[in-house]
């Protein structure tokens, strides 16, 4: 039994009677604007006569799970150099949420272990129709890495 209820169905005579039966000390009804607009004026007038106030709830959708304070905290931790994984452990939230809530860019992963010169050499060799297998053997780099370097440039 409550003096305030929230409805998510259009107010009808049947629903109003149920609400009054379940909540004899009912004083307020919260309902979304869309339902209020579809409610007959006679029902609204009847509720007013019973001194039951109808509050129109403007907020739509699911309430926010995290506040601005948490977002700021995440940004500060990223600035300190912490990884999303360690931030999620410290704050007790999912790692996916850390990525969603962050507003600052994260540092990119580790730099390639192959220099720009070697990457250019691989591209030039391939441009000169040298096979990936031969490039791999000559430079002592795995074929998979050679393919990755060549593919990275085509993006």
């Amino acid at each position: 039994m409550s003096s305030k209820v929230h409805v998510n169905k259009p107010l009808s005579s049947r629903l109003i009677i149920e609400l009054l039966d379940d909540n004899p000390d009912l004083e307020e009804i919260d309902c979304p604007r869309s339902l209020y607009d579809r409610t007959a004026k006679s029902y609204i007038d009847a509720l007013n006569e019973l001194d039951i106030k109808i509050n129109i709830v403007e907020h739509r959708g699911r309430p926010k799970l995290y506040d601005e304070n948490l977002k700021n905290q995440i940004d500060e931790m990223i600035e300190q150099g912490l990884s999303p994984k360690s931030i999620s452990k410290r704050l007790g939230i999912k790692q996916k949420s850390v990525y969603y809530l962050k507003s600052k860019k994260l540092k990119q992963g580790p730099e390639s272990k192959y220099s720009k010169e070697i990457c250019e050499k691989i591209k030039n060799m391939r441009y000169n129709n040298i096979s990936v297998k031969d490039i791999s053997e000559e430079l002592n780099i795995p074929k998979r890495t050679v393919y990755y370097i060549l593919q990275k440039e085509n993006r």
Side-chain angles (χ1 to χ4, degrees), residues 4-20:
K4 185 175 185 177
V5 294
H6 177 82
V7 293
N8 56 5
K9 297 177 189 171
L11 288 171
S12 63
S13 57
R14 178 177 286 162
L15 180 60
I16 292 170
I17 291 170
E18 283 179 28
L19 290 173
L20 292 171

Side-chain angles (χ1 to χ4, degrees), residues 14-32:
R14 178 177 286 162
L15 180 60
I16 292 170
I17 291 170
E18 283 179 28
L19 290 173
L20 292 171
D21 284 346
D22 294 342
N23 306 288
D25 56 340
L26 186 63
E27 294 173 5
E28 295 181 48
I29 297 175
D30 290 344
C31 89

Side-chain angles (χ1 to χ4, degrees), residues 74 84-85 94-103 106:
I74 289 171
K85 186 175 185 177
K94 294 180 181 176
Q95 188 173 342
K96 187 176 182 179
S97 297
V98 172
Y99 281 103
Y100 177 76
L101 294 170
K102 71 174 178 51
S103 62
L106 293 171

Side-chain angles (χ1 to χ4, degrees), residues 77 81-93 95 98:
M77 293 172 115
L82 294 172
S83 70
K85 186 175 185 177
S86 62
I87 293 171
S88 72
K89 285 182 180 178
R90 284 188 184 187
L91 298 177
I93 61 175
Q95 188 173 342
V98 172

Side-chain angles (χ1 to χ4, degrees), residues 61-78:
R62 182 176 174 192
K64 295 194 183 281
L65 194 56
Y66 305 112
D67 60 0
E68 284 298 315
N69 186 28
L70 183 66
K71 288 181 180 183
N72 295 335
Q73 198 174 358
I74 289 171
D75 287 340
E76 287 173 14
M77 293 172 115
I78 288 172

Side-chain angles (χ1 to χ4, degrees), residues 40-58:
K41 185 170 177 3
S42 58
Y43 296 145
I44 294 170
D45 292 340
L47 288 169
N48 285 334
E49 285 180 26
L50 294 170
D51 291 327
I52 298 174
K53 182 180 176 189
I54 299 178
N55 300 320
I56 300 170
V57 179
E58 294 295 339

